[in-house]
Amino acid sequence: KVSIPAKGLWFDPGKNYEGSFKPCIVTGYDESKDKFVVQWKESLSSEGKSAEATAKGIADGSLSLLYRIHLCFDAENPFNFVKCVAYAHEARRCFESQIKYSLYVDSMPTDNIAPLEKDQVDRVLENSFNTKKLKKSGLDTEELLDEIEIDYARTMNKIIFDGSSHSPEQKMLAETLGDMLDSKKTTKQAALKKGTVDVPVYSFHQRSSDFKFCTFYTAVEAITAMTSVNGQCGQILESYLFNTNVHKSMHLDEFLQLQISTLQQRSTELKENWTARLIDDIRRILRKAGKGSLNIGIASQDMYKFSKVRRFLKLTNFVMEDSIRFLAKDSLQKFHDFILSSCDYKVEVKGISEVKVAKGEKAKERGNCPPLFAIDLHISDGKLGYATDIAKFQEETQNIYDDACQNLQQIPQLEPYIMDKVFKSTVRGVAKVKSIFRNPKPDPLNFEHKEMMWVQDLYDKIGKTISQASEPLTSYIEQYNIYADFIKLDVEAYVTDFYKNQRSRGEIEAEMKKHIEAIEQLQDVSKGGIPDEINLGLFMVQSVSCRNSLVKKRKQVMTLIQENFCKQTKAQCDALTKEFMKLSGDLRVDVESVKQMTELKKYMNMVPIKVSAKQDELDSCMKAFELLFEYGYRMPKELFAVKWKTYAWPLNLHRQIKQIERKMIADKAAFVKELQQKQQMFQNEYETVEKQVNSFASLTDLEQFKSVAAKSKDVSEKLSEFMERTRDFNSKERMMKLKVTDYLKVKQLSKRFQPYDDLWSTTHSWKVCKSAWYCGPFMKLDPDVVAEKHQKFEKTMKKCTKVKIIKENDGLSEIASTIQAEIKQFKPLLPLVTNLRHQGMRERHWQKLSKDLDIKLNPDENIRLTDLTETFKLNEHTARVTELGETCMREYSIEISLKQMKDSWEPIKFTLGPHEASKSYILKDTEDITNQLDEHIVQTQAMTFSSFKKVFEEEINAWN
């Protein structure tokens, strides 16, 4: 901005507003008050002040508003300024006196003033109706005569007032009027010599000739063309650059599209159609003028400069400029009023569905039109916000305003198109018709900038108004903070966390109910829910998308909860189905025996009990399905089938049991018949075996022991089989509730055959063992097995010799005695086997035995017991062999203990840890190690005192 130095009149409030001129800086101009904004040099801080800063400066006295008469710029002549000030004050004083004079005269009464006489009135009327046309018109003259009477009475009062104002009694009145009365005395006009006004010498023909030379209105074509231009320019004033006929709420892009479309249509009309029509009309009309001053066909620029056609086209440009400016001002002002009326609402946001909107005076002019803008409230990427940035409404609306200003600056002048021979094609279209423009930083001293300041003012008011009208949007969206946590909620994580712990059906129902109630609350505006749309003055907030997103998310949570609950319920159904299928599978066994039939019958009796035990679980599953159905879950066909399949299992099992019971009746009859047949076959086999048992009394040849033993084995196995079969027969009879057959004879026959079996089986076994013990490899004999079998043989044969059936049969008695004698004969040799075949027997022991007995004993794989008794006569040195066996056993015990102690230390790992005091290392966790060490020390000490340690003495000492 430009700052101009000057001297301003400073009024001192303390001296009855007397003032003096002081230096100052002129910083601006207030057009509304017709005053200049000045800043006194004593308080000068900075150049350029905003409207807010100017108001603040005026309030604190640093700035002042001065009329032009109180401001002398440094650049102007002070003498002239003083003359202007003096003249202004004198003119004001005279004007005030004139006003007082007129007021006094007008205030005088006219009641006592005599009216005009009748002949005076007649002369006035006669002079007024001085033409035939007026005389025949029959006009009413009453109002005119009343005005003449009033004017006559006022004139008479003025004569009276002027005459009496100089009397001594009216001295105060004379002082009030000042020089007004004196000037009237001096300026009294002399009587006119004649009733006409003298006029100076005037050459009408010369003036008419000069006028005709300068003007183009002497040609009919020019007048016609200008009339056409005025008509075309008048037509465009009937339209507007913007479409303010909006009766519905529009999204910003729709509003912009509507305005841009209207603006482009108007711009095209002005740039192409309007200019084209003007060019066509001017060409068509002026072409008729032919050659002369309005010749549009001239090609010389010199001739064109002085031609009337140039003046005509200049005037046309001015008319176009006026038309464009009027169009622009009307359109921009109407757009400004349209926006301001759309924003003139007082909005109070109390809740999501409760907003109070009060219309202002301008808004009432719009009637019941809905808000201008529609804006969507939606949820995107987990965030709640408006689909359109709030700042865009102000920005885009002002951009449309700017577009209108810029489009009007592109309208070409007509000269290059009409005078195409004068103007070259290269410059055609360059010159534009002057239009409005917006300058964000206007220069107040620049006339064009000053003239266009209204454009910037409207622009600023539109932006400020929309900005203020947008504030309720921020307040309204803050009401949705209650949904912020739910909007950010991760649905899958929430459901996963919900099912982290086992949930009962009641808890799941409560959770689903919570979400159903939340959905109902969202959809019920009376409960504070989200409305479809809500009026915020300038904006109609459409929140359907937001509500649908929240409802959809709630349903998504419910669906996931239901799906998980469904899976849980399906798992329960699958578990029940598995158990029921097992019951059904167990019932579907093929009954091939009475035992199976009996067991199946028992199992069938247990099935209802097992089904009853699962009834609570089954009811729970069905209630879960009912709950899912109640809350609108659409079960897939697969799950629907699972539900009814599970529900039908108890009935299916009951039907299956009934079917099996009917089959069992037929099976039982078949089993009874089969049992009877088997019992008959058994009786025949029994009689045959009974004869074989009776024949054993005559078998007394010991040489045939192998064949007799084999026969005895067959009979024994047969009798064992008979015992099993009789038990099976009785069991089946009991299971089928038949009379139980007595098979005591089988038991008696088995008992009677037992001595024969013991005799011959023992005889056979002894013969086989005797050959292996005497003649088999001695080094492969197991001493424990030999001792055990010998004891068994001895006990069995002793029993046989005492049984009556053997004792009374001489042949069998002799066989028993013979075998018993052979067994007793082997008993003295048992010490040789048990001591020499001990597992602790080593080479040193054989060498010691050889040395003690003075024999050369080198046992190998081929040595036999008979060699030890017959060749080496060891049976004669049983005591020495027994003593050696004792030594062998003791040494073996020491050997095993040492090995076990050493082996137990192999897997042990030692843990070392730092020792703070010595900065070294110590063993950690040594309790088990110490206990084992103490135990091994005790064992080792015991070994050192053993009399059998000699062989292991070095090893014991090394270990100790």
Side-chain angles (χ1 to χ4, degrees):
K1 291 185 177 182
V2 179
S3 298
I4 304 174
K7 291 180 179 62
L9 183 59
W10 169 266
F11 293 99
D12 189 352
K15 296 182 180 180
N16 196 21
Y17 285 94
E18 295 180 358
S20 60
F21 282 89
K22 291 184 178 181
C24 63
I25 298 294
V26 179
T27 61
Y29 176 72
D30 190 340
E31 187 176 4
S32 61
K33 297 180 180 179
D34 194 22
K35 291 183 179 181
F36 288 89
V37 180
V38 300
Q39 185 172 10
W40 305 106
K41 285 194 174 181
E42 292 84 350
S43 60
L44 187 61
S45 59
S46 62
E47 294 186 0
K49 293 286 182 178
S50 64
E52 293 78 3
T54 300
K56 184 178 180 182
I58 293 171
D60 61 21
S62 62
L63 296 176
S64 298
L65 293 175
L66 298 180
Y67 288 107
R68 176 66 179 87
I69 197 172
H70 296 151
L71 192 63
C72 177
F73 292 99
D74 290 352
E76 67 179 315
N77 189 328
F79 295 99
N80 293 337
F81 176 74
V82 171
K83 290 179 181 179
C84 290
V85 172
Y87 177 79
H89 283 281
E90 180 63 26
R92 180 184 180 90
R93 186 164 52 252
C94 293
F95 188 69
E96 289 177 350
S97 298
Q98 181 67 40
I99 292 174
K100 291 177 183 178
Y101 177 79
S102 298
L103 177 63
Y104 295 157
V105 172
D106 290 340
S107 300
M108 293 175 67
T110 58
D111 297 338
N112 296 325
I113 301 299
L116 290 172
E117 295 180 359
K118 186 177 183 301
D119 57 342
Q120 291 176 322
V121 173
D122 293 339
R123 284 199 302 270
V124 169
L125 292 175
E126 184 180 356
N127 291 328
S128 298
F129 291 91
N130 55 1
T131 64
K132 293 181 179 181
K133 190 174 182 180
L134 287 174
K135 289 178 180 179
K136 294 180 179 180
S137 63
L139 295 174
D140 186 8
T141 58
E142 290 298 326
E143 291 183 3
L144 292 174
L145 289 174
D146 291 340
E147 290 180 9
I148 292 171
E149 288 286 354
I150 293 172
D151 192 39
Y152 173 75
R154 186 179 181 282
T155 302
M156 298 307 293
N157 283 337
K158 182 177 179 183
I159 294 171
I160 295 170
F161 181 83
D162 290 342
S164 63
S165 60
H166 296 284
S167 63
E169 293 83 2
Q170 301 298 335
K171 183 178 180 181
M172 184 179 294
L173 178 63
E175 291 177 355
T176 302
L177 295 176
D179 298 334
M180 179 67 187
L181 296 176
D182 295 338
S183 63
K184 281 191 166 293
K185 283 183 180 182
T186 57
T187 59
K188 186 175 180 180
Q189 295 180 356
L192 297 175
K193 294 180 179 181
K194 51 185 177 180
T196 59
V197 178
D198 291 334
V199 294
V201 178
Y202 182 80
S203 177
F204 175 78
H205 295 288
Q206 181 63 36
R207 294 287 183 177
S208 175
S209 176
D210 293 341
F211 175 77
K212 290 179 180 179
F213 179 79
C214 295
T215 184
F216 52 78
Y217 282 119
T218 55
V220 176
E221 292 83 0
I223 296 173
T224 305
M226 185 53 63
T227 303
S228 177
V229 168
N230 290 332
Q232 292 289 350
C233 292
Q235 287 181 4
I236 68 167
L237 295 178
E238 297 176 0
S239 61
Y240 293 96
L241 299 176
F242 303 98
N243 187 343
T244 58
N245 189 24
V246 178
H247 299 290
K248 69 172 185 176
S249 299
M250 306 179 73
H251 289 87
L252 180 59
D253 53 350
E254 293 179 290
F255 179 76
L256 294 177
Q257 184 63 34
L258 175 65
Q259 301 305 330
I260 290 172
S261 174
T262 304
L263 189 57
Q264 288 177 347
Q265 183 179 352
R266 299 291 185 268
S267 178
T268 303
E269 174 68 21
L270 291 173
K271 293 177 185 178
E272 299 178 4
N273 300 339
W274 181 51
T275 55
R277 288 197 300 270
L278 287 173
I279 292 171
D280 291 343
D281 288 351
I282 293 173
R283 278 182 171 177
R284 176 177 51 80
I285 296 171
L286 294 186
R287 194 175 288 119
K288 298 177 181 178
K291 295 182 179 181
S293 58
L294 291 178
N295 182 13
I296 61 175
I298 60 177
S300 173
Q301 289 193 4
D302 295 334
M303 293 178 63
Y304 175 69
K305 287 180 182 179
F306 301 100
S307 65
K308 291 184 180 181
V309 70
R310 181 172 181 271
R311 298 173 196 167
F312 176 85
L313 294 178
K314 286 293 183 183
L315 179 60
T316 301
N317 284 336
F318 294 145
V319 174
M320 291 175 66
E321 287 179 11
D322 288 345
S323 301
I324 291 171
R325 291 198 179 193
F326 285 131
L327 171 65
K329 191 165 186 177
D330 291 346
S331 297
L332 295 181
Q333 185 65 47
K334 187 174 182 180
F335 185 68
H336 164 269
D337 296 342
F338 170 68
I339 295 297
L340 263 59
S341 64
S342 300
C343 298
D344 190 20
Y345 296 91
K346 184 178 180 181
V347 181
E348 183 181 0
V349 179
K350 293 187 175 182
I352 291 177
S353 58
E354 186 178 1
V355 176
K356 288 188 176 180
V357 180
K359 289 184 177 181
E361 292 300 325
K362 295 179 181 178
K364 290 178 180 178
E365 297 175 2
R366 296 186 70 217
N368 295 324
C369 290
L372 176 59
F373 292 119
I375 185 169
D376 291 330
L377 183 64
H378 69 159
I379 298 172
S380 177
D381 298 330
K383 294 181 181 179
L384 176 68
Y386 292 110
T388 306
D389 186 8
I390 298 175
K392 282 285 186 182
F393 288 93
Q394 176 186 344
E395 179 184 344
E396 295 296 341
T397 304
Q398 289 181 316
N399 288 343
I400 286 294
Y401 184 95
D402 272 343
D403 290 345
C405 296
Q406 292 173 4
N407 284 341
L408 292 177
Q409 296 173 11
Q410 304 301 317
I411 300 174
Q413 293 184 2
L414 305 186
E415 280 183 295
Y417 296 94
I418 295 174
M419 307 302 297
D420 52 355
K421 294 182 179 179
V422 176
F423 295 90
K424 305 298 181 182
S425 59
T426 53
V427 298
R428 181 177 298 177
V430 173
K432 306 295 180 183
V433 176
K434 288 185 178 181
S435 179
I436 63 168
F437 60 88
R438 184 180 71 85
N439 192 338
K441 298 180 180 180
D443 182 0
L445 300 181
N446 187 311
F447 177 77
E448 287 189 355
H449 287 191
K450 181 180 177 181
E451 191 180 23
M452 291 293 116
M453 286 180 67
W454 65 271
V455 181
Q456 180 65 33
D457 291 342
L458 293 181
Y459 178 88
D460 293 338
K461 288 180 182 178
I462 289 174
K464 184 178 180 181
T465 305
I466 293 178
S467 177
Q468 292 174 348
S470 302
E471 292 175 0
L473 289 175
T474 305
S475 302
Y476 183 71
I477 200 171
E478 289 175 356
Q479 304 299 318
Y480 284 80
N481 289 339
I482 57 176
Y483 301 112
D485 293 338
F486 182 72
I487 290 171
K488 297 176 183 177
L489 181 69
D490 186 337
V491 175
E492 293 184 358
Y494 174 79
V495 176
T496 302
D497 183 67
F498 177 77
Y499 281 104
K500 185 182 294 183
N501 300 322
Q502 186 67 28
R503 296 288 184 174
S504 65
R505 180 165 53 84
E507 290 175 325
I508 294 172
E509 182 178 6
E511 181 69 14
M512 289 194 291
K513 188 176 181 180
K514 180 181 78 173
H515 292 289
I516 286 291
E517 291 175 351
I519 291 173
E520 292 176 351
Q521 186 272 331
L522 283 171
Q523 296 174 336
D524 191 349
V525 179
S526 63
K527 296 180 180 179
I530 300 175
D532 292 345
E533 57 185 21
I534 194 161
N535 186 348
L536 293 184
L538 176 62
F539 298 93
M540 179 68 78
V541 178
Q542 296 178 346
S543 49
V544 175
S545 175
C546 173
R547 184 183 64 199
N548 291 343
S549 296
L550 291 173
V551 170
K552 182 179 179 181
K553 195 167 186 178
R554 287 285 181 186
K555 290 182 178 180
Q556 187 180 1
V557 173
M558 276 190 60
T559 300
L560 287 178
I561 289 175
Q562 290 171 340
E563 287 178 353
N564 280 272
F565 184 43
C566 185
K567 291 178 182 178
Q568 179 180 323
T569 305
K570 184 178 182 299
Q572 292 178 349
C573 289
D574 291 341
L576 286 173
T577 299
K578 186 176 181 181
E579 295 184 20
F580 288 141
M581 287 181 69
K582 185 177 183 305
L583 293 175
S584 178
D586 293 341
L587 291 173
R588 282 198 298 269
V589 296
D590 294 331
V591 178
E592 297 178 354
S593 63
V594 176
K595 182 179 180 181
Q596 289 179 339
M597 184 178 69
T598 305
E599 290 176 353
L600 180 58
K601 192 169 185 179
K602 290 180 180 179
Y603 189 76
M604 286 166 57
N605 294 332
M606 292 298 297
V607 167
I609 299 174
K610 292 183 178 181
V611 171
S612 298
K614 296 296 179 181
Q615 189 62 42
D616 290 341
E617 293 183 35
L618 182 60
D619 293 341
S620 177
C621 290
M622 294 303 108
K623 289 179 180 179
F625 283 119
E626 291 175 4
L627 178 63
L628 289 171
F629 179 77
E630 179 183 351
Y631 284 93
Y633 180 69
R634 298 181 64 182
M635 286 188 293
K637 293 182 179 180
E638 178 186 356
L639 186 62
F640 192 78
V642 169
K643 171 187 175 182
W644 293 113
K645 183 179 180 181
T646 307
Y647 180 77
W649 268 114
L651 179 60
N652 292 338
L653 288 173
H654 176 74
R655 291 173 177 174
Q656 187 177 2
I657 289 172
K658 291 298 182 182
Q659 184 178 0
I660 293 172
E661 287 177 349
R662 290 192 295 268
K663 186 175 181 298
M664 276 186 175
I665 296 174
D667 290 341
K668 182 179 179 181
F671 286 137
V672 170
K673 184 178 180 180
E674 181 183 0
L675 178 61
Q676 291 173 350
Q677 292 175 352
K678 289 183 177 180
Q679 285 177 327
Q680 184 61 41
M681 292 173 61
F682 171 77
Q683 183 62 33
N684 297 334
E685 292 176 7
Y686 172 78
E687 293 173 355
T688 302
V689 172
E690 186 178 20
K691 292 177 182 179
Q692 290 177 349
V693 171
N694 294 333
S695 67
F696 272 86
S698 60
L699 300 175
T700 57
D701 187 359
L702 185 58
E703 297 297 332
Q704 297 179 358
F705 74 91
K706 291 184 179 181
S707 60
V708 176
K711 184 178 180 181
S712 172
K713 183 179 179 181
D714 292 340
V715 173
S716 178
E717 291 176 354
K718 201 69 175 176
L719 289 173
S720 297
E721 180 187 348
F722 284 173
M723 292 298 293
E724 289 294 328
R725 289 169 70 181
T726 55
R727 284 194 290 269
D728 182 54
F729 291 154
N730 291 149
S731 175
K732 290 179 178 179
E733 287 171 340
R734 292 188 188 94
M735 287 186 289
M736 291 188 290
K737 297 181 180 181
L738 302 175
K739 183 180 180 181
V740 179
T741 305
D742 185 7
Y743 289 104
L744 182 61
K745 59 183 180 179
V746 177
K747 188 174 182 181
Q748 292 174 347
L749 180 62
S750 177
K751 185 177 180 180
R752 184 155 55 90
F753 175 72
Q754 189 61 42
Y756 298 122
D757 185 48
D758 289 343
L759 175 63
W760 291 108
S761 61
T762 302
T763 299
H764 179 268
S765 297
W766 165 250
K767 291 293 184 180
V768 173
C769 291
K770 178 183 176 182
S771 175
W773 292 348
Y774 277 105
C775 302
F778 179 76
M779 300 304 291
K780 293 184 178 181
L781 294 178
D782 186 339
D784 294 333
V785 174
V786 171
E788 182 183 355
K789 287 187 175 182
H790 182 273
Q791 183 181 4
K792 183 180 179 181
F793 292 155
E794 186 178 22
K795 182 179 179 180
T796 303
M797 292 311 297
K798 185 178 180 180
K799 179 182 177 182
C800 289
T801 56
K802 293 180 180 181
V803 177
K804 182 178 180 181
I805 196 171
I806 300 296
K807 192 175 181 181
E808 292 178 354
N809 190 318
D810 294 337
L812 297 177
S813 177
E814 183 180 354
I815 292 173
S817 299
T818 300
I819 298 302
Q820 187 178 23
E822 291 179 359
I823 293 171
K824 287 181 179 180
Q825 185 181 357
F826 183 78
K827 189 172 183 179
L829 301 179
L830 281 175
L832 296 178
V833 177
T834 55
N835 288 297
L836 296 180
R837 284 298 301 133
H838 190 273
Q839 55 186 350
M841 195 70 176
R842 300 292 184 265
E843 182 65 26
R844 63 178 181 274
H845 299 123
W846 290 102
Q847 292 177 359
K848 186 176 185 304
L849 184 60
S850 299
K851 183 179 180 181
D852 292 343
L853 299 179
D854 194 20
I855 58 176
K856 191 176 181 180
L857 188 60
N858 293 317
D860 55 16
E861 294 181 356
N862 297 323
I863 193 169
R864 298 173 296 174
L865 181 60
T866 55
D867 296 333
L868 297 178
T869 56
E870 294 176 1
T871 305
F872 300 106
K873 306 297 183 181
L874 292 183
N875 55 320
E876 298 176 1
H877 306 286
T878 305
R880 294 293 297 169
V881 172
T882 303
E883 182 182 353
L884 180 64
E886 181 69 20
T887 301
C888 175
M889 182 182 66
R890 298 293 184 180
E891 291 178 354
Y892 182 71
S893 176
I894 293 173
E895 180 182 354
I896 291 300
S897 296
L898 281 172
K899 186 176 184 307
Q900 288 177 348
M901 283 192 292
K902 290 180 179 180
D903 291 344
S904 65
W905 286 98
E906 288 293 333
I908 293 177
K909 294 182 180 180
F910 295 92
T911 303
L912 293 177
H915 188 260
E916 296 180 358
S918 62
K919 296 183 179 180
S920 182
Y921 295 91
I922 59 173
L923 289 174
K924 288 188 175 182
D925 303 329
T926 59
E927 183 178 355
D928 294 339
I929 297 174
T930 303
N931 293 337
Q932 182 172 325
L933 181 61
D934 293 341
E935 182 181 350
H936 287 186
I937 289 173
V938 172
Q939 290 183 13
T940 307
Q941 291 296 328
M943 290 179 187
T944 57
F945 294 105
S946 176
S947 57
F948 300 96
K949 69 176 182 178
K950 185 176 181 180
V951 179
F952 307 100
E953 188 169 6
E954 290 184 5
E955 188 175 358
I956 291 171
N957 291 335
W959 179 249
N960 193 27

